[in-house]
Amino acid sequence: MTHRNLIIHDLEILAPLELAEPFDQGRIGLIVEGKEEVEIICTCLDVTPAVVREAVFRGADLLVAHHTPIWHPLTSIRGDDAGLLRDLLGAGINVYVMHTNYDRATGGVNHCLAGLLGLGSVMPLSMGLIGDCHLTASTIAGHLGTSLRVWGETGEIRRLALVGGSGFDPLVIREAAAAGADAFLSAELKHSVARSAPIPLLESTHYDLEAPAMRILAGKNGWIYLDDPPCLSMIP
């Protein structure tokens, strides 16, 4: 058993709170307080009902998540919020959230993504990373285990910029282009941004770009990764 505060201390070294975006204020750190003594730790991308049920089944004492289950201040606890919190508090499970601070941290979401794609000579952008590579759009999709939407003409990509999650910011795309990027990888692209981009854009999903970091975090520490991927389908 380890005291909860010791684990939180290590997590805050890994992803310092001051790295978080201003909109994350009050939405990172210990979001749900449970047992003080911790033995079984799980990680996840989203604190969904399915993830919480699995955490309870596994006997988890701490759930380390990327996205907070509480985005807005609660003036009442009803419906889905009530069910989620009832299960967490009933089992004494702590929930600790690392969001944009973990995106920006060395070894965090963007670095895990760069490592997965084999980028070399990695350098920071204002939101993400850029690095050298020998990739194509299809090999990137293969590394991610998913499909990509490609905006623009791509051949061999020798320098790739990336931002995990929703990162198609026109200013960052131009920053990446100025730094020599051949393409830019992120999620949740707007049509207006795609039309004005100076370099090809590779669009994956929010989930596929951020889940690997939580899986890697679990693997490095001997924790349990709990997955609940979104159910996506194409309707003809």
Side-chain angles (χ1 to χ4, degrees):
M1 289 282 190
T2 304
H3 195 279
R4 176 183 62 213
N5 290 347
L6 294 177
I7 298 170
I8 289 175
H9 176 264
D10 290 342
L11 291 172
E12 291 182 355
I13 291 175
L14 172 63
L17 302 182
E18 59 268 22
L19 293 180
E21 294 279 1
F23 65 77
D24 260 342
Q25 186 173 2
R27 297 177 176 85
I28 55 174
L30 187 64
I31 298 300
V32 177
E33 185 174 286
K35 304 168 187 173
E36 289 190 354
E37 296 297 324
V38 170
E39 181 176 9
I40 298 175
I41 301 174
C42 298
T43 72
C44 66
L45 186 66
D46 297 290
V47 185
T48 65
V51 162
V52 172
R53 287 194 296 270
E54 184 68 13
V56 172
F57 175 77
R58 300 269 190 157
D61 305 304
L62 171 63
L63 183 58
V64 180
H66 188 51
H67 297 138
T68 179
I70 305 172
W71 289 100
H72 306 289
L74 297 176
T75 57
S76 63
I77 301 176
R78 298 181 298 182
D80 293 340
D81 289 333
L84 200 69
L85 292 173
R86 183 190 309 117
D87 291 344
L88 289 168
L89 294 171
I93 299 175
N94 297 277
V95 177
Y96 186 91
V97 172
M98 303 189 298
H99 190 214
T100 50
N101 53 322
Y102 192 43
D103 289 332
R104 292 180 162 187
T106 300
V109 169
N110 289 321
H111 279 91
C112 288
L113 192 55
L116 185 64
L117 297 175
L119 301 192
S121 303
V122 173
M123 305 205 43
L125 297 171
S126 55
M127 285 177 63
L129 299 173
I130 184 170
D132 298 332
C133 59
H134 293 281
L135 296 168
T136 64
S138 61
T139 56
I140 291 171
H143 284 305
L144 295 175
T146 186
S147 58
L148 294 176
R149 296 172 68 186
V150 179
W151 300 78
E153 297 293 328
T154 62
E156 184 180 28
I157 300 168
R158 293 179 175 269
R159 194 157 171 79
L160 177 69
L162 59 85
V163 178
S166 178
F168 283 117
D169 184 303
L171 293 177
V172 182
I173 295 170
R174 288 197 288 273
E175 178 188 356
D182 300 314
F184 190 101
L185 170 67
S186 193
E188 299 175 6
L189 177 62
K190 293 182 178 180
H191 179 75
S192 58
V193 174
R195 290 295 300 268
S196 61
I199 54 177
L201 306 180
L202 310 178
E203 184 185 7
S204 184
T205 68
H206 205 118
Y207 169 84
D208 286 316
L209 296 183
E210 292 188 334
M214 304 311 291
R215 189 180 299 114
I216 290 168
L217 177 64
K220 284 182 177 179
N221 291 281
W223 300 343
I224 302 166
Y225 175 66
L226 305 180
D227 200 15
D228 185 21
C231 182
L232 301 175
S233 59
M234 297 296 291
I235 307 298

